[in-house]
Amino acid sequence: MSAERILGASPAANIVAEVARDVIERSSDTYALYRLGRRVAAARAAQGPRALDGLLQAAADPRVANGAGALALGAGVAVELGERGHAQRMQAAWARVMGGGDHVRAQLVGAAGEAGDGQLLGALAAAVPAAAVGAVAGEVHALAVAALLQCERGHEDAARARAVVCAVEALAQRVFVDDACVAVADATRWAAWPQCADALACVHWHTLRAGRAGSDAFRRATTLLVAFAQRGAAARVDAAVRAACALQPCLRFVPQGHMRVAPARERAVLFYLDLLEHVAELLPVNTLQLLVVPLAAHYAQRAPSEWFESAHALVLALLEQREPLRELAPWYADLLLELYPDRGISADLLRIAYPAAVRALAAEPSRVGCALAADCVQRLFARLDAFAGSGAVRAVRRREVLGAVAELLAAVPLELLPRLMRDLELRVVSEREWNTRRVLADEIQDVVLERADLSRKPALSAWVWQLRATVNNSISKI
């Protein structure tokens, strides 16, 4: 009779334990022992709550030299119990077999990663003792780096990438949800954050296949990482972000033009562009200037769509935070006008981004901010006037830029408002098409009613009704 049949059928716990110990010691295949544990647990699970005692006794026996094999067998039992809905028995099984050291768990993590078994990785990450969370996060990160290196060499291991995402999601549920991490030290949580973030970055080449937002597990894990960072103290977040970015040296070298990276690593950069957008407000100016701004500026001038969009979203986040990075605004306004309309900047992005740059300058209490904001307004009018003349394309461009100018009514410093209203009215009523004049008047009214603050609404309200009367009068004369 084979050992597996004895393990599955013998009613005597001591016999099962002895045979299981012998199987563990003889086997060098850690993952095969995990699969054996699952099969035997499935065969014995219906025999009663104590039917698995022999297997767990062998898996927890400190005399067994093959610690990784013993843990793998016990993990198979625990995972199978979880699959069958026996949550309490599963937790008891994990607690019983999880006595080995970090090196034992590392071997099982490696075996699960090689097999691409996300279920085992996730279950292990959720069950490890609190003190071992950091070590497991490091092992999962190592698996992610290996998957990225393989992808760069042309060998894509999708199963391993999926397993990494499952493991990171389980770690995030365990570590970064406040109600679930009672026993996890705060220092351990912040030490695990960079490892988990970079692990997701390393496998982003795979998660993007499910769409721009990634797979469901990827979205859940990323959401937990971001939410945890947003609840943290600024100094903690800064240290964690710096540590995560240090794991990807290309984030520093690519903006300087010193490094060309493979497409898979470019996708890791894309992950960081998206991540930094959500935590930028918590970072000090020094980190923003040294790390975030060069990266955003580099990709904001390139046109592959995902990186381009993410870089501009990151710049907007820097301009729209409570303490905007005002020194970015003049450069960004110039860049928008340079790239519009044929090099990636759409009319919608221009209408959102250009007022954001002007608004950041208007928040500067000194006269310098007002002067720079006035210069940005004049440059946008100059761009508008460059589209003067007849032709359908020019008319469309004027219409788009006038929409951006209208948004400035809610953005410029108050002292610039009278001149802006006068210049905008002049351009609107000089449009040849009556329908264009009417639509622009509607848009201006929307800006005044919905986005202008109370300090400017009295002057704007009177002006906008006068503008509507002028436009309506011009339409009635056609």
Side-chain angles (χ1 to χ4, degrees):
M1 182 179 292
S2 69
E4 183 171 343
R5 290 185 63 187
I6 295 174
L7 293 173
S10 176
N14 60 334
I15 295 177
V16 171
E18 189 63 34
V19 173
R21 277 192 291 267
D22 184 65
V23 170
I24 292 169
E25 295 290 23
R26 289 175 179 273
S27 177
S28 59
D29 189 336
T30 302
Y31 189 71
L33 286 170
Y34 163 74
R35 299 301 303 171
L36 175 65
R38 290 205 61 171
R39 291 194 300 271
V40 174
R44 300 184 68 89
Q47 298 177 20
R50 305 194 63 84
L52 299 174
D53 282 357
L55 285 174
L56 295 175
Q57 179 183 338
D61 193 338
R63 297 171 298 175
V64 175
N66 184 6
L71 176 58
L73 186 74
V77 175
V79 170
E80 188 63 32
L81 287 172
E83 277 287 284
R84 293 172 177 270
H86 304 304
Q88 291 184 337
R89 292 173 67 189
M90 176 194 71
Q91 292 173 3
W94 276 120
R96 191 168 177 181
V97 303
M98 199 62 81
D102 287 342
H103 68 286
V104 170
R105 286 184 284 269
Q107 291 181 54
L108 182 56
V109 170
E114 288 291 335
D117 193 328
Q119 184 180 28
L120 172 56
L121 273 178
L124 184 62
V128 292
V133 164
V136 171
E139 293 297 328
V140 171
H141 178 251
L143 285 176
V145 172
L148 175 60
L149 293 174
Q150 275 193 320
C151 184
E152 288 182 326
R153 298 184 184 113
H155 303 290
E156 297 183 359
D157 191 342
R160 180 183 296 194
R162 284 193 299 271
V164 166
V165 174
C166 290
V168 174
E169 183 194 5
L171 280 170
Q173 293 279 3
R174 170 78 184 280
V175 178
F176 304 127
V177 177
D178 289 341
D179 293 340
C181 63
V182 178
V184 182
D186 201 45
T188 301
R189 301 169 77 189
W190 284 106
W193 194 93
Q195 306 274 5
C196 291
D198 195 59
L200 291 177
C202 287
V203 297
H204 203 32
W205 57 268
H206 172 72
T207 57
L208 283 171
R209 293 175 179 174
R212 183 66 179 85
S215 63
D216 291 341
F218 174 83
R219 289 196 297 273
R220 289 191 294 267
T222 306
T223 300
L224 291 173
L225 284 170
V226 170
F228 177 72
Q230 290 175 338
R231 295 193 303 271
R236 289 278 204 181
V237 178
D238 181 43
V241 169
R242 282 177 173 267
C245 292
L247 297 171
Q248 290 290 343
C250 63
L251 297 176
R252 289 185 181 273
F253 296 130
V254 166
Q256 301 171 16
H258 299 328
M259 179 184 288
R260 295 187 65 183
V261 296
R265 196 157 309 254
E266 287 268 26
R267 285 157 177 77
V269 175
L270 179 61
F271 173 85
Y272 276 102
L273 287 170
D274 294 336
L275 178 66
L276 290 169
E277 176 191 350
H278 297 288
V279 299
E281 189 169 3
L282 299 169
L283 301 178
V285 173
N286 186 50
T287 299
L288 294 176
Q289 291 175 338
L290 293 178
L291 180 64
V292 180
V293 171
L295 188 68
H298 176 74
Y299 284 96
Q301 300 173 69
R302 302 175 62 195
S305 57
E306 293 91 347
W307 290 262
F308 188 81
E309 292 166 5
S310 293
H312 282 273
L314 177 52
V315 174
L316 284 173
L318 297 174
L319 292 174
E320 293 178 340
Q321 55 192 18
R322 283 192 297 269
E323 292 294 329
L325 207 61
R326 297 183 184 93
E327 55 264 40
L328 268 180
W331 163 81
Y332 190 51
D334 281 343
L335 180 66
L336 291 169
L337 296 181
E338 178 186 339
L339 300 182
Y340 171 81
D342 299 323
R343 294 174 57 192
I345 297 297
S346 66
D348 289 339
L349 182 54
L350 184 69
R351 292 186 62 157
I352 295 170
Y354 205 89
V358 174
R359 195 178 299 112
L361 292 171
E364 172 63 49
S366 70
R367 298 290 301 170
V368 174
C370 183
L372 290 173
D375 183 60
C376 288
V377 173
Q378 292 309 308
R379 278 181 286 161
L380 187 57
F381 273 117
R383 193 77 173 96
L384 171 63
D385 293 339
F387 294 117
S390 59
V393 174
R394 286 178 176 271
V396 169
R397 297 305 180 211
R398 284 198 308 275
R399 164 75 181 76
E400 293 173 347
V401 179
L402 278 167
V405 175
E407 295 290 340
L408 295 182
L409 292 168
V412 297
L414 286 175
E415 58 197 274
L416 300 180
L417 195 55
R419 182 176 177 181
L420 175 60
M421 291 189 295
R422 184 178 65 251
D423 292 345
L424 178 56
E425 181 176 359
L426 179 64
R427 265 61 170 207
V428 170
V429 298
S430 64
E431 279 296 309
R432 293 183 176 86
E433 296 291 333
W434 69 268
N435 190 55
T436 300
R437 296 196 293 273
R438 179 182 60 80
V439 171
L440 285 169
D442 290 342
E443 291 185 1
I444 291 170
Q445 181 175 326
D446 289 342
V447 171
V448 172
L449 293 177
E450 297 178 10
R451 291 185 281 285
D453 56 54
L454 293 177
S455 63
R456 62 188 72 208
K457 269 192 175 177
L460 282 173
S461 297
W463 170 76
V464 78
W465 292 118
Q466 178 187 346
L467 174 64
R468 290 203 67 93
T470 303
V471 168
N472 291 337
N473 187 48
S474 70
I475 294 173
S476 65
K477 292 179 180 180
I478 296 177

